[in-house]
Amino acid sequence: MVQIVDDRKSATIERRAKLFRGFADPSRLAILGALCNGPLAVHELVERTELSQPNVSNHLRCLLDCGLVASDRDGRFIRYRISSPRITVLLSDVDALLDVVAEGVEACDNYRGA
């Protein structure tokens, strides 16, 4: 019984880690931040994020595959949107958490950006 519980706990931890890897890229966070204001087409995401079109498209594919973003056809465009309102809440909660721990995050040498 203990082994089953440990396996489930381990699986949960791995799923959480995989979810957070979906958020762990500045470009993906920029795209998600832009989508928090409502659905956007690729060209609108390029404008709002100042990322290149290929970069936006590649990251959207990742976000779609991870289930963080969904898409809907709108005439000749595909509009992308946050797949769950909980994602918007999570990003807002992260900002609130950063108000408390930002100094430590900035000082941390373990996860330097590229």
Side-chain angles (χ1 to χ4, degrees):
M1 179 68 172
V2 172
Q3 183 62 38
I4 292 171
V5 172
D6 287 346
D7 289 347
R8 276 194 220 136
K9 193 173 187 179
S10 178
T12 298
I13 291 168
E14 286 302 316
R15 277 188 19 200
R16 286 178 182 167
K18 192 170 186 178
L19 171 67
F20 281 112
R21 281 192 295 273
F23 290 105
D25 181 273
S27 296
R28 288 195 291 274
L29 283 172
I31 291 167
L32 288 169
L35 292 175
C36 282
N37 297 317
L40 296 169
V42 170
H43 70 277
E44 294 167 318
L45 284 165
V46 167
E47 270 180 34
R48 303 241 170 107
T49 62
E50 298 182 354
L51 299 169
S52 69
Q53 185 275 321
N55 195 1
V56 168
S57 294
N58 286 332
H59 285 293
L60 279 171
R61 186 170 24 261
C62 174
L63 291 167
L64 280 164
D65 290 346
C66 293
L68 300 175
V69 166
S71 64
D72 302 296
R73 183 161 288 286
D74 181 15
R76 62 186 192 116
F77 296 107
I78 296 176
R79 296 212 169 271
Y80 296 89
R81 59 183 166 75
I82 300 287
S83 64
S84 168
R86 288 181 171 217
I87 294 168
T88 303
V89 171
L90 176 65
L91 292 171
S92 178
D93 286 348
V94 166
D95 289 339
L97 178 60
L98 280 170
D99 288 343
V100 177
V101 299
E103 188 175 313
V105 171
E106 290 296 325
C108 180
D109 289 333
N110 294 319
Y111 303 110
R112 291 216 178 267

